[in-house]
């Protein structure tokens, strides 16, 4: 008796897998609201962030600590006052005063012109100017830094003529040192698009699949499903497939809007990005499926989705620079698939990374999938108990 | 197998939160039989049926269903059983034919398209095949649910209150169909609490608070219960019934139109009780007790037992 039971244990059946896939597809198509949301959310997010991307912030508050008494120091001060990117709100007399202003957020920059600036400049020592920047908002900082760099060279250009022309040199007469505070990685605004892609995928995919099984429970269709001779893995994987496609629609949507509307450059291979996106999408779906096997109803599944979403968005490096976080937060972050996907997507889109560079970020996601799916299949009800 | 039992289980027990919802139930159903499974709401019918097809794990009990072990071989049982849930549990956001197609795929039905088409034709659903299941009325939903649990040609059908909320005409058609299928060799276990439906079954099992109180044909159950029933015709039956109900020997005094049925287990005590009213005014005659009288009797008996 027992051996026969073991022998007849149905193996993974492609027919049943496809049955679930087809069913989910039709249901997805009929569920206009959810479908609309998966398209609407990324669009809305992009538009909202798009404004942040698009702004070219000017008139940022700055303070100058001028310790030099020479004419070139004054030339600099004068040109900073005339720079449209910066608003010179204060002249400070000490480091500590400058620090206070930065900490309180009264100014976003402190330009530090050191003692003997003129003297060193004329001697050809390439004196350094320290720019302390509050880089919390990278979109604001990067433009201003760029502007300051050109300004420094052109302002001094007029003074360094004739016998001093050699000082202008190839490297420029001064050394601008930027000390980016609060955001040492100096995340640029292009970072937002790859980040947003991960965040949107995570947000919608986890919640939608989280609903997939709890919905069957709530509507009572679970009883039909359980009365059928199926394996949990057939139902799980079958339910995931249609949402993978939905995820791709989101990826394509985000990339198109970013590229055509906001002119975000795409440095690396799109195909590589699509391939990696698949792995990340599967990870988010696996989380959703796992949640739906743990939750009693749809509301709980949604709550779990958001419970997972919060650390993901906070600790993945999307909101705050990863290396700036406390150690424990970094450890938590390393576990989250979003963290790794962000690095991968930024690497591919911004730095033009290839497969070799992203492999170290890939396997943690795969590990995560294996773990989540194991929990899901283990937790999937085989009975109504 | 020496006999042809399609369902043969013993001592089936299921507890929820320490409360025995199904308590030590034995049941045998022959091939080709329509077994009616009766009992008031909450008596454990659904729970028992769910244990048979592997949806719930019994706490105790053993036996076979279609020759497969109910504990270890539920996969095989699931493949050969059609289970119609009490609550409609197909997909309301799929059309009739999409639902049938899904079920057919899940059971790996051969020549699926034809199976779906045939089942649509047989149940008169062809015209509505593109209608969403959620938009159907109770009677049509029930037809669809039956079609869905027949599509993989099961040998045993477990139908849980299939006719609840269905109009009498549809109910009659439904039962005609059940009998036709039984004639083709299918076996049925049908839970219901309609008495007229009970009478259309070959055999009955009556369950109350998880305990199986009676099992057999209608005739067997009625004769085993040894209930005596008298029918009265005449004036002032309302008054008489009130007085009789207080009497020890009278268990039930129930009005049926212009008639009064008075029943009791002790026939002598009953006769003594009605003696004062056997005047020329009323016509009394002894009749065979009805199923309902018997079940109410069983219910009262069991209440007395538990309160003792
Ligand atoms: N999953 C469950 N958890 C707890 N109690 C349950 C569960 N299912 C059924 N019950 C209880 O078991 C009893 C029998 O229920 P059920 O089998 O549905 O009876 P019936 O089908 O005869 O109306 C009821 O009291 C019901 O509340
Ligand atoms: Mg029930």
């Amino acid at each position: 008796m027992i051996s026969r039971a073991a022998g007849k244990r149905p193996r993974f059946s492609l027919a049943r897998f496809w049955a679930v896939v087809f069913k989910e597809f039709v249901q997805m198509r009929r569920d206009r609201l959810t479908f609309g949301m998966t398209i609407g959310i990324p669009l809305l997010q992009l538009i909202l962030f798009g404004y942040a991307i698009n702004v070219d912030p000017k008139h940022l508050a700055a303070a100058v600590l001028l310790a030099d008494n020479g004419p070139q120091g004054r030339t600099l001060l004068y040109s900073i006052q005339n720079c449209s990117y910066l608003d010179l709100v204060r002249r400070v007399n000490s480091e500590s005063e400058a620090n206070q202003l930065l900490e309180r957020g009264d100014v976003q920059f402190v330009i530090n012109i050191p003692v003997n600036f003129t003297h060193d400049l004329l001697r050809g020592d390439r004196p350094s100017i320290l720019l302390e920047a509050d880089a919390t908002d990278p979109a604001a900082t990067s433009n201003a830094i760029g502007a300051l760099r050109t300004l420094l060279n052109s302002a001094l250009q007029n003074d360094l003529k004739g016998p001093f022309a050699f000082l202008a040199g190839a490297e420029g007469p001064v050394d601008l040192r930027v000390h980016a505070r609060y955001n040492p990685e100096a995340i640029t605004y292009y970072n937002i698009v790859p980040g947003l892609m991960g965040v949107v995928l995570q947000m919608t995919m986890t919640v939608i699949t989280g609903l997939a099984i709890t919905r069957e429970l709530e509507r009572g269709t679970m009883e039909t499903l359980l009365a059928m001779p199926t394996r949990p893995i057939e139902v799980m994987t079958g339910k995931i497939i249609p949402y993978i496609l939905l995820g791709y629609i989101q990826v394509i949507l985000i990339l198109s809007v970013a590229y055509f509307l906001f002119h975000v450059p795409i440095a690396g291979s799109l195909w590589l990005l699509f391939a990696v996106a698949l792995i990340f999408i599967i990870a988010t779906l696996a989380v959703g499926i796992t949640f739906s096997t743990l939750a009693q109803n749809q509301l709980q599944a949604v709550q779990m989705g958001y419970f997972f979403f919060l650390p993901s968005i906070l600790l993945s490096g999307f909101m705050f620079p990863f290396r700036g976080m406390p150690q424990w937060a970094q450890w938590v972050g390393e576990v989250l698939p979003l963290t790794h996907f962000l690095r991968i997507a930024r690497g591919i889109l911004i730095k033009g990374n290839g497969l070799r560079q992203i492999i170290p970020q890939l396997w943690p996601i795969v590990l995560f999938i294996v773990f989540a799916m194991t929990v899901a299949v283990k937790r999937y009800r085989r009975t109504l108990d | 197998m020496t006999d042809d039992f399609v369902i043969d289980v013993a001592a089936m027990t299921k507890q929820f939160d320490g409360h025995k919802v199904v308590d030590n139930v034995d049941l045998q159903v022959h091939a080709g039989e329509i077994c009616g499974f009766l009992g008031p709401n909450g008596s454990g019918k659904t729970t028992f049926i769910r244990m048979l097809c592997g949806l719930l794990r019994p706490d105790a009990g053993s036996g076979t269903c279609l020759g497969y072990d109910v504990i270890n071989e539920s996969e095989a049982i699931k493949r050969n059983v059609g289970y119609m849930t009490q609550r409609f549990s197909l997909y309301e956001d799929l059309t009739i034919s999409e639902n049938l197609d899904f079920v057919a795929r899940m059971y790996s039905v051969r020549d699926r398209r034809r199976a779906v088409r045939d089942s649509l034709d047989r149940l008169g659903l062809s015209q509505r095949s593109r209608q969403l299941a959620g938009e159907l009325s109770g009677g049509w939903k029930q037809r669809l649910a039956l079609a869905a649990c027949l599509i993989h040609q099961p040998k045993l059908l477990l139908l849980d209150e299939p006719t609840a909320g269905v109009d009498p005409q549809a109910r009659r058609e439904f039962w005609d169909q059940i009998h036709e299928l039984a004639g083709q060799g299918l076996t049925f276990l049908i839970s219901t609490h309609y008495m007229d439906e009970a009478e259309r079954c070959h055999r009955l099992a009556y369950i109350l608070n998880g305990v199986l109180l009676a099992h057999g044909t209608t005739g067997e159950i009625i004769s085993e219960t040894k209930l005596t029933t008298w029918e009265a015709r005449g004036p002032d039956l309302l008054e008489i019934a009130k007085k009789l109900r207080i009497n020890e020997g009278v268990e039930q005094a129930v009005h049926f139109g212009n008639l009064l049925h008075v029943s009791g287990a002790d026939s002598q005590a009953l006769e003594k009780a009605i003696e004062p009213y056997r005047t020329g005014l009323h016509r009394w005659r002894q009749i065979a007790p009805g199923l309902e009288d018997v079940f109410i009797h069983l219910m009262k008996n069991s209440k007395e037992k538990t309160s003792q």
Side-chain angles (χ1 to χ4, degrees):
Chain A
M1 271 308 219
I2 302 297
S3 66
R4 184 179 60 170
K8 282 207 172 179
R9 222 174 143 78
R11 265 180 254 125
F12 186 88
S13 145
L14 262 182
R16 286 194 295 263
F17 163 77
W18 279 116
V20 178
V21 172
F22 277 121
K23 173 191 84 87
E24 291 290 324
F25 251 122
V26 176
Q27 287 187 303
M28 188 171 89
R29 217 183 53 213
R30 300 245 158 85
D31 189 1
R32 292 266 162 78
L33 185 68
T34 309
F35 193 75
M37 247 171 47
T38 50
I39 304 295
I41 287 179
L43 276 182
L44 187 75
Q45 296 240 11
L46 262 177
I47 302 294
L48 288 180
F49 277 97
Y51 280 107
I53 293 170
N54 243 357
V55 287
D56 183 14
K58 290 184 176 170
H59 302 291
L60 303 169
V64 170
L65 177 60
L66 180 60
D68 178 61
N69 298 320
Q72 265 71 41
R74 273 196 301 280
T75 309
L76 260 190
L77 185 64
Y78 180 71
S79 52
I80 289 170
Q81 275 167 342
N82 285 333
C83 170
S84 66
Y85 278 95
L86 300 171
D87 260 355
L88 194 60
V89 293
R90 279 284 260 291
R91 273 190 62 181
V92 292
N93 297 313
S94 69
E95 282 289 338
S96 62
E97 200 184 340
N99 269 338
Q100 263 183 12
L101 288 177
L102 270 177
E103 271 166 22
R104 283 208 305 262
D106 289 348
V107 298
Q108 205 157 1
F109 300 98
V110 173
I111 301 155
N112 207 326
I113 303 171
V115 194
N116 293 336
F117 174 75
T118 306
H119 177 258
D120 291 351
L121 180 75
L122 296 181
R123 256 186 39 188
D125 279 355
R126 248 189 129 236
S128 51
I129 286 179
L130 178 67
L131 175 72
E132 291 205 76
D134 172 352
T136 314
D137 180 3
T141 353
S142 57
N143 277 349
I145 293 173
L148 193 66
R149 207 180 284 277
T150 29
L151 174 149
L152 282 179
N153 292 334
S154 60
L156 296 171
Q157 212 77 49
N158 293 329
D159 285 8
L160 303 177
K161 279 181 180 154
F164 297 116
F166 74 97
L167 292 175
E171 292 176 288
V174 292
D175 172 23
L176 178 67
R177 295 208 178 147
V178 180
H179 180 201
R181 290 197 181 195
Y182 312 123
N183 186 357
E185 281 179 348
I187 293 175
T188 67
Y189 59 79
Y190 293 148
N191 271 353
I192 290 178
V193 168
L196 204 60
M197 196 159 62
V199 168
V200 165
L201 281 176
Q202 156 116 46
M203 188 159 98
T204 46
M205 293 291 103
T206 310
V207 170
I208 290 177
T209 43
L211 299 178
I213 286 176
T214 39
R215 188 173 47 212
E216 305 249 4
L217 261 182
E218 257 177 50
R219 294 187 184 168
T221 50
M222 198 66 185
E223 197 168 357
T224 301
L225 213 50
L226 286 177
M228 293 171 172
T230 52
R231 316 247 78 198
I233 190 83
E234 293 158 359
V235 179
M236 299 283 166
T237 49
K239 273 177 175 291
I240 277 182
I241 296 290
Y243 297 108
I244 289 181
L245 274 172
L246 210 56
Y248 268 116
I249 294 179
Q250 291 189 325
V251 170
I252 291 168
L253 199 68
I254 292 174
L255 284 179
S256 313
V257 174
Y259 186 78
F260 292 112
L261 220 62
F262 300 124
H263 309 292
V264 173
I266 295 175
S269 154
L270 268 183
W271 295 116
L272 181 61
L273 185 66
F274 283 147
V276 182
L278 177 66
I279 296 175
F280 178 65
I281 290 171
I282 293 176
T284 57
L285 295 177
V287 176
I289 289 273
T290 307
F291 284 163
S292 72
T293 59
L294 298 170
Q296 300 296 323
N297 52 47
Q298 298 195 54
L299 181 65
Q300 279 184 12
V302 172
Q303 284 171 336
M304 286 184 190
Y306 280 105
F307 183 74
F308 183 64
F309 182 61
L310 214 60
S312 291
I313 202 169
L314 292 178
L315 304 181
S316 63
F318 176 72
M319 281 282 215
F320 310 113
F322 196 81
R323 295 291 156 218
M325 299 191 309
Q327 192 59 51
W328 65 265
Q330 292 193 25
W331 281 333
V332 177
E334 290 289 352
V335 175
L336 302 168
L338 184 60
T339 309
H340 301 282
F341 181 68
L342 287 193
R343 292 179 191 158
I344 292 172
R346 284 172 180 167
I348 294 175
L349 285 176
I350 299 166
K351 301 182 198 152
N353 279 354
L355 183 61
R356 224 149 41 119
Q357 289 102 321
I358 61 168
I359 288 276
Q361 304 299 335
L362 217 49
W363 67 261
I365 305 183
V366 174
L367 216 64
F368 186 91
I369 294 173
V370 172
F371 172 74
M373 280 313 271
T374 310
V375 175
V377 170
K378 282 253 172 344
R379 283 280 322 184
Y380 178 83
R381 299 153 175 260
R382 283 152 213 261
T383 64
L384 286 169
D385 281 289
Chain B
M1 275 186 291
T2 48
D3 42 42
D4 63 343
F5 286 139
V6 166
I7 298 175
D8 185 5
V9 293
M12 296 291 273
T13 301
K14 181 74 190 175
Q15 299 192 1
F16 285 122
D17 317 314
H19 177 71
K20 276 187 184 165
V21 167
V22 173
D23 189 359
N24 213 15
V25 171
D26 302 349
L27 189 72
Q28 279 95 31
V29 180
H30 292 277
E33 201 171 70
I34 302 175
C35 177
F37 197 33
L38 289 106
N41 275 331
S43 52
K45 302 184 294 293
T46 301
T47 308
F48 180 77
I49 292 176
R50 282 175 174 170
M51 284 195 287
L52 282 185
C53 58
L55 283 174
L56 288 173
R57 226 177 293 281
D59 293 323
S62 62
T64 59
C65 201
L66 292 163
Y68 298 107
D69 188 84
V70 283
I71 313 291
N72 297 318
E73 293 179 298
S74 48
E75 294 286 351
I77 294 176
K78 282 176 184 178
R79 248 175 288 142
N80 294 297
V81 164
Y83 170 45
M84 182 167 161
T85 53
Q86 180 170 357
R87 205 183 118 189
F88 181 75
S89 64
L90 288 167
Y91 296 93
E92 303 214 330
D93 48 355
L94 296 189
T95 64
I96 290 180
S97 60
E98 282 162 353
N99 265 303
L100 291 175
D101 192 67
F102 173 64
V103 176
R105 280 174 193 270
M106 291 302 270
Y107 284 100
S108 316
V109 172
R110 267 197 219 113
D111 204 353
R112 194 184 77 241
R113 280 167 212 282
R114 230 185 72 199
V116 170
R117 212 176 329 114
D118 287 353
S119 113
L120 285 171
D121 288 342
R122 199 166 47 239
L123 290 146
L125 290 166
S126 300
Q127 310 295 273
R128 296 166 174 264
S129 67
R130 287 162 154 258
Q131 205 170 338
L132 290 183
E135 292 170 356
L136 298 175
S137 67
W140 285 104
K141 272 187 179 162
Q142 175 237 35
R143 277 175 193 232
L144 170 59
L146 183 65
C149 66
L150 282 171
I151 204 156
H152 62 293
Q153 303 190 312
K155 302 186 193 80
L156 167 67
L157 280 165
L158 305 171
L159 311 181
D160 195 359
E161 297 195 22
T163 53
V166 172
D167 63 80
Q169 169 76 21
R171 258 172 63 193
R172 169 154 297 180
E173 283 170 16
F174 179 81
W175 275 94
D176 288 343
Q177 204 185 355
I178 299 295
H179 272 276
E180 203 180 302
L181 290 165
Q184 293 164 18
L186 261 79
T187 310
F188 288 86
L189 179 66
I190 307 181
S191 83
T192 177
H193 45 225
Y194 292 117
M195 283 308 143
D196 59 322
E197 291 189 348
E199 274 150 17
R200 301 194 65 167
C201 299
H202 299 127
R203 276 161 161 275
L204 298 174
Y206 183 76
I207 186 174
L208 183 76
N209 295 326
V211 181
L212 192 73
L213 292 181
H215 185 200
T217 62
T218 310
E220 280 166 9
I221 289 179
I222 289 174
S223 63
E224 267 168 30
T225 322
K226 298 201 172 61
L227 195 70
T228 312
T229 301
W230 286 81
E231 180 192 271
R233 183 192 294 272
D236 301 327
L237 289 178
L238 222 58
E239 276 301 305
I240 294 172
K242 266 185 203 157
K243 283 176 189 152
L244 279 174
R245 281 189 193 118
I246 315 168
N247 199 298
E248 278 290 294
V250 177
E251 275 181 30
Q252 305 170 40
V254 190
H255 298 279
F256 281 88
N258 297 325
L259 306 172
L260 179 70
H261 286 190
V262 186
S263 326
D266 184 341
S267 63
Q268 284 180 350
L270 185 66
E271 272 185 66
K272 225 162 129 192
I274 62 173
E275 194 57 50
Y277 308 101
R278 292 181 80 169
T279 57
L281 275 174
H282 295 90
R283 280 228 322 266
W284 288 87
R285 71 187 179 106
Q286 194 176 349
I287 57 166
L291 256 185
E292 198 168 272
D293 303 325
V294 169
F295 288 143
I296 289 172
H297 164 77
L298 288 172
M299 200 150 93
K300 283 192 170 166
N301 263 15
S302 109
K303 258 191 209 139
E304 274 161 29
K305 263 184 215 155
T306 48
S307 62
Q308 266 167 20

